[in-house]
Amino acid sequence: MWRRTWPLGVLLLATACGPIEGVACTAIGTLTGVTVDIADPRVAAAKIEVCWDGSCATPSLELYPSSRVAETTCTGTSPDDSCSARSEPTGGKHGFADLPGLPAKPVTVTLTLLDQSGSSLVDRNIVLTPEMVYPNGPDCPAGGPQAGISVGADGSITER
């Protein structure tokens, strides 16, 4: 009887120990750059300049309306149950400046926010330290560095 069941025991032992070849990492990509979240509803456009090692880049920074989750409902607590969420606009905006050469070290950012008429609402500098992002988790290779800026309704700027 043991002669017929030993292969099953070996298979169970191997699968209980996890994958034999290690962690599976996908080819998922990560954008490299700076995220900007803006609370002031008067902002219509943004400009960004990012400098490091004596050179600067001025990528485009398109803004989109921001939203937040307003309400969630679930049919139960089982993994087979379903949930839904309703979002609502916040009045703020968000955008992403794509910077393929962004390093994972301190950079100086100049952020300019403009109103509908083109007048400057915010024109400030901030030092950010981009951090590596691991889209498949810490056991897989990094996808690239990212940094983030939050702009309050009062024009204050902080690293996020």
Side-chain angles (χ1 to χ4, degrees), residues 34 48-52 55-59 97 99 102-103 107-110:
V34 179
I48 191 168
E49 180 181 65
V50 183
C51 301
W52 68 91
S55 64
C56 297
T58 54
L99 287 156
L102 186 70
V107 297
T108 301
V109 176
T110 302

Side-chain angles (χ1 to χ4, degrees), residues 37-53:
D37 290 307
I38 304 164
D40 188 341
R42 299 174 301 157
V43 174
K47 296 178 186 177
I48 191 168
E49 180 181 65
V50 183
C51 301
W52 68 91
D53 293 339

Side-chain angles (χ1 to χ4, degrees), residues 63-77:
L63 299 179
Y64 302 94
S66 294
S67 62
R68 66 179 179 88
V69 174
E71 179 183 338
T72 61
T73 58
C74 293
T75 61
T77 58

Side-chain angles (χ1 to χ4, degrees), residues 118-144:
S119 297
S120 179
L121 296 170
V122 171
D123 191 3
R124 298 228 172 85
N125 294 332
I126 185 171
V127 175
L128 303 176
T129 303
E131 294 182 8
M132 297 304 285
V133 176
Y134 296 85
N136 285 291
D139 294 330
C140 293

